[in-house]
Every structure is written in structure tokens, then in C-alpha cells.
Amino acid sequence: MNEKRLIALSGAVIGFLGVLLVYLGNAANYGICVACFIRDIAGGLGLHRAEVVQYLRPEVAGFILGAFLIALFMGEFRARGGSSPLIRFIIGFIVIVGALVFLGCPLRMVLRLAAGDLNALLGLAGFIAGIYLGIFFLRKGFSLGRYHNLSSSNGYVLPVLAVILLILVAVKPAFIFFSESGPGSMYPPIVVSLIAGAIIGLLVQRSRLCMAGGIRDLILIKDPHLFYGTLSLFVLALVGNLAFGYFDLGFVDQPIAHNDGLWNFIGMLVVGLGSILLGGCPLRQIIMGSEGDSDAGITFLGMLTGAAFMHNFGLAASPDGVPQNGQIATVLALIALLAIAFKNVEVGITSKPSKSVASGIKK
Amino acid sequence: MSGDKDKKTVDARGKSCPEPVVLTRKALESFKDQEIEVIIDSPVAKENITRMAKNQGYKIDVEEKDEEFCLKITK
């Protein structure tokens, strides 16, 4: 299959699955949300005690195992790491801060839009603004440094964690939390979530679909390739929402959303900028982590930790809006992100074409 | 890396997405009409650079060796 068809097909299947998973049991406009699922996992592990969002979402284990197995099969599994792991952990943490203020990862933002939730438009504007900001730093020479090959055991960590999460959600030991009400209590049978997640993991690994990359490449190199994926995801989710009767156009009373436009914008600005600095959206991080990229694996753990903090300290948004402390946390997160971006700008080649060290270009 | 004066080499091994593309693009802009050789070690970077070079009307030749790719980009 050629690249263009694969990316369009991947977007379409994921967009449709995003709606189908709601039909099969997930909460409204909550078919797929990487940030929310990670937050639910943090809750299921008891890392936060927000009782309505605790469930070890098997979709995430599916993302990881689907991507891991296909990468292994296609010879693309390679354990690597060492590109500013601690900074990536922090950026992962910060991306989740932004996502839980908006209430969704970039993928859920597209799904919310496709269901008529116009608050996501403000999120999209913020996301694009964040991507523009990220591109500014990329053009200045932003880099988190080179990764190196590692022993293969590093690459197995995330898949093993996924298997452990699956065992825990299936066996339901007493120390694992399960929401009794709210979005965390709504889900399809484990096997359905797992299979849907694995299909998504497989497709994203093969097609390289990335919500942040789509817009980034469109602006940075005028290449619409990845954006076709975002577009087909939106269109199929829109068709699905219309077909299932989920489409409801407006700002008010949208499922698991608030209508504070400013914080929807700022939240997704943080997600956009953070995703560009990391080299991909939260879903893409999980997929790369599953291909053996331990830096992306650490980013996943940063996101998990960030989600736990957001709910432990009452910082995350809810349909009532963004708590004041959550607003402060978001601003601090943005400042930290900008500091990281400024500190990691290397000297570009255009000013000194004869130098070869920092730029990676040899004459 | 190369004795050929007209060939410029971009070593983007170990660089994460989208840095290899950004570096290649900068090299293409800085050294017009010269052959650019790009060394990378990720299939994703190979796909991205190939697409970008083709979109901009360049010819691209891909050689795969072990886990690395050597891309030769010419006008």
C-alpha cells in the first residue's frame, strides 16, 4: 500500500474507532483520548484519588502491544535512548498538564470537533499557536541531542508494563481502583478495548500518523502527508457521530468539556509546543516507546506522573472549568517549557556553514 | 567525511523527528546545486526526507547499510 493511502486509511479507521468505542461503552466524546486514558490509568493504580477517573484502560496496553509487535515483525524495533531523558520526562509531564486543562489530547480534540463540540475550536487554535511556537524553536536549531543504541532489554520495558497493566485490569486485585461512576466507570469489555487499541497501535506505527506532526509538517515543510491522516480521522469521526446520532453542535453542555475559551486555548498551546519539542503528540510518544525508543517510554512515564499530580492536587479541569491552582500550574508549565526550548537551541548552520559540530552537518 | 569538495554531508544519526528533515532542508538551502549526502538511522526520517526532497523536485538515491541509510540528494 502506498504511503498516502496508508495514512488516509489509518486516520479513517482511528476516527471511526473513536466513535465506535463510545457506542461500545466508553463515555461520550471519550472513544479515544490518550491523555485521559493515561490519567485513568494513574487513577486505577491509585496514584491519584479522583474517584470518577480510575480505570486501567486496556486501549493503552493495546496501543503499546500493537505497535511493538508490528515494529518487531517489520524489523523496526530498535532499543535506543539517551536524548535528554529527564527533560523529556518533564515535557511529558507538562504536556499532560495542558491536556488536562483542555480536557483531551490532540486526538480527542479532533474527535470533540467531529462531534460538534465547538470548545475544541479554541483548543485547536491554541494547539496551532503552540506548534508555530515550536517551529520557531526548531528553525532556531532546537534539539534534545542524539539518541544512541541501547541493549534490547530497554525496548522491552514498555511492552512488559503493558502486559502487567492488562493482567491487573483482568484479575482486578483489591489494590487496583475501578471507578463506580463517571467516565472511569464507562468502558467496553476488556478484549474490545484491547483489540481496538492494538489496531490503532499497529496503524500508527505503520503510517506514522501524528496529530502534532500533521500540522507541523504543513507549516514547516509544506508537506500535507501526515495532515491527510488528521483530516480523514476528522471526516470519518464526523460521519460516525452523525450516523450514531452523537453529533451536537455548540459550546454549552458538551460531554466532558468546559467552555472557558481562554484556558482551552492555553491548555492546548502547551500541548502543541510540548509535542513539537518532543517530536510527536502523546499517542506518537507511546508508539515510539513501543518501537524501542526509551526516551519516548520515559515521556510516557512523565505523562503518567503529570496526570497523577494534576488530580492529586486538584489542578485538572472539570466540566465546571479550570480551578485557579490549575491555571497557575498551566502558566508555570508554559514558562518551564519555554525555558527548556530556549536552553536547548543549538547554533544553526545558516549563520556558520563551515562549522560542523553542533549542527550535525559536515563540510 | 568525504574528500569530494562538491559533496556536503548531513549526519543526522540519532536525531529525533523532525530534526533530520530540518537539517537536510537547511543544507539544501545553504548549498544550492551541490550534492547533499544525508546519513540517518531511522526509517521514519528516511521516509520524511525522501518525501520532502521529491516534493521539492530533487532526485534522491537511498542506500541501506546495516541499520543506517545514506541518502544522496541531487538537483
Side-chain angles (χ1 to χ4, degrees), chain A residues 152-226:
Chain A
S152 58
S153 57
N154 287 275
Y156 298 134
V157 174
L158 211 52
V160 168
L161 284 179
V163 172
I164 293 172
L165 285 175
L166 268 185
I167 293 171
L168 290 174
V169 76
V171 174
K172 297 185 169 59
F175 60 87
I176 293 298
F177 292 79
F178 288 85
S179 292
E180 286 173 5
S181 62
S185 68
M186 300 168 74
Y187 46 82
I190 292 173
V191 66
V192 171
S193 299
L194 177 66
I195 291 172
I199 293 171
I200 294 165
L202 184 154
L203 287 172
V204 176
Q205 199 284 329
R206 292 317 304 148
S207 68
R208 333 298 191 193
L209 182 87
C210 175
M211 297 292 111
I215 298 171
R216 177 200 65 206
D217 287 358
L218 208 54
I219 300 167
L220 182 67
I221 50 172
K222 315 271 182 289
D223 178 4
H225 177 75
L226 288 178

Side-chain angles (χ1 to χ4, degrees), chain A residues 60-79:
Chain A
V60 174
F63 299 156
I64 296 171
L65 296 175
F68 168 67
L69 292 174
I70 193 71
L72 211 55
F73 181 72
M74 299 299 291
E76 290 188 354
F77 175 83
R78 183 156 62 99

Side-chain angles (χ1 to χ4, degrees), chain A residues 42-264:
Chain A
L45 293 171
L47 300 177
H48 70 68
R49 302 298 161 101
E51 289 177 356
V52 291
V53 283
Q54 295 174 321
Y55 179 53
L56 300 184
R57 296 270 169 200
E59 287 93 341
V60 174
F63 299 156
I64 296 171
L65 296 175
F68 168 67
L69 292 174
I70 193 71
L72 211 55
F73 181 72
M74 299 299 291
E76 290 188 354
F77 175 83
R78 183 156 62 99
R80 54 196 192 271
S83 163
S84 306
L86 194 52
I87 287 178
R88 287 180 188 273
F89 180 94
I90 298 295
I91 301 177
F93 187 113
I94 288 173
V95 163
I96 286 298
V97 171
L100 294 180
V101 160
F102 166 70
L103 292 177
C105 70
L107 208 162
R108 180 169 190 247
M109 175 186 74
V110 177
L111 291 175
R112 278 173 59 176
L113 262 183
D117 177 354
L118 295 176
N119 298 300
L121 273 181
L122 276 302
L124 178 63
F127 189 54
I128 294 172
I131 291 173
Y132 259 107
L133 207 51
I135 288 173
F136 167 80
F137 288 108
L138 282 179
R139 284 195 172 133
K140 289 271 173 210
F142 173 84
S143 175
L144 289 176
R146 292 177 197 264
Y147 59 76
H148 307 281
N149 285 343
L150 298 174
S151 78
S152 58
S153 57
N154 287 275
Y156 298 134
V157 174
L158 211 52
V160 168
L161 284 179
V163 172
I164 293 172
L165 285 175
L166 268 185
I167 293 171
L168 290 174
V169 76
V171 174
K172 297 185 169 59
F175 60 87
I176 293 298
F177 292 79
F178 288 85
S179 292
E180 286 173 5
S181 62
S185 68
M186 300 168 74
Y187 46 82
I190 292 173
V191 66
V192 171
S193 299
L194 177 66
I195 291 172
I199 293 171
I200 294 165
L202 184 154
L203 287 172
V204 176
Q205 199 284 329
R206 292 317 304 148
S207 68
R208 333 298 191 193
L209 182 87
C210 175
M211 297 292 111
I215 298 171
R216 177 200 65 206
D217 287 358
L218 208 54
I219 300 167
L220 182 67
I221 50 172
K222 315 271 182 289
D223 178 4
H225 177 75
L226 288 178
F227 189 69
Y228 290 142
T230 309
L231 216 54
S232 65
L233 195 154
F234 172 77
V235 171
L236 255 287
L238 179 66
V239 170
N241 279 315
L242 289 167
F244 283 100
Y246 297 149
F247 188 82
D248 174 22
L249 192 68
F251 283 98
V252 185
D253 291 335
Q254 291 290 342
I256 320 174
H258 60 78
N259 50 17
D260 188 337
L262 177 68
W263 291 100
N264 280 328

Side-chain angles (χ1 to χ4, degrees), chain B residues 3-70:
Chain B
D4 184 351
K5 276 183 186 167
D6 290 332
K7 192 162 78 178
K8 303 291 172 278
T9 300
V10 178
D11 180 1
R13 284 175 293 185
K15 292 275 187 179
S16 29
C17 176
E19 286 178 57
V21 180
V22 174
L23 290 171
T24 305
R25 205 174 128 100
K26 277 186 179 173
L28 289 171
E29 284 165 2
S30 303
F31 310 108
K32 286 199 169 83
D33 302 323
Q34 295 179 56
E35 182 180 319
I36 306 283
E37 186 181 69
V38 186
I39 311 172
I40 42 169
D41 57 357
S42 130
V44 180
K46 181 196 74 178
E47 290 163 17
N48 291 344
I49 293 170
T50 303
R51 216 169 38 240
M52 178 197 66
K54 281 187 178 165
N55 285 347
Q56 296 192 4
Y58 289 94
K59 274 185 239 151
I60 183 155
D61 193 35
V62 182
E63 257 177 60
E64 190 174 348
K65 219 176 3 182
D66 300 324
E67 284 179 335
E68 292 181 3
F69 303 91
C70 179

Side-chain angles (χ1 to χ4, degrees), chain A residues 253-300:
Chain A
D253 291 335
Q254 291 290 342
I256 320 174
H258 60 78
N259 50 17
D260 188 337
L262 177 68
W263 291 100
N264 280 328
F265 181 92
I266 298 176
M268 284 313 282
L269 186 148
V270 168
V271 176
L273 175 57
S275 297
I276 296 304
L277 301 184
L278 287 171
C281 68
L283 178 59
R284 189 88 196 113
Q285 295 302 315
I286 293 184
I287 302 306
M288 292 194 297
S290 315
E291 295 168 353
D293 182 343
S294 66
D295 293 322
I298 285 168
T299 305
F300 172 73

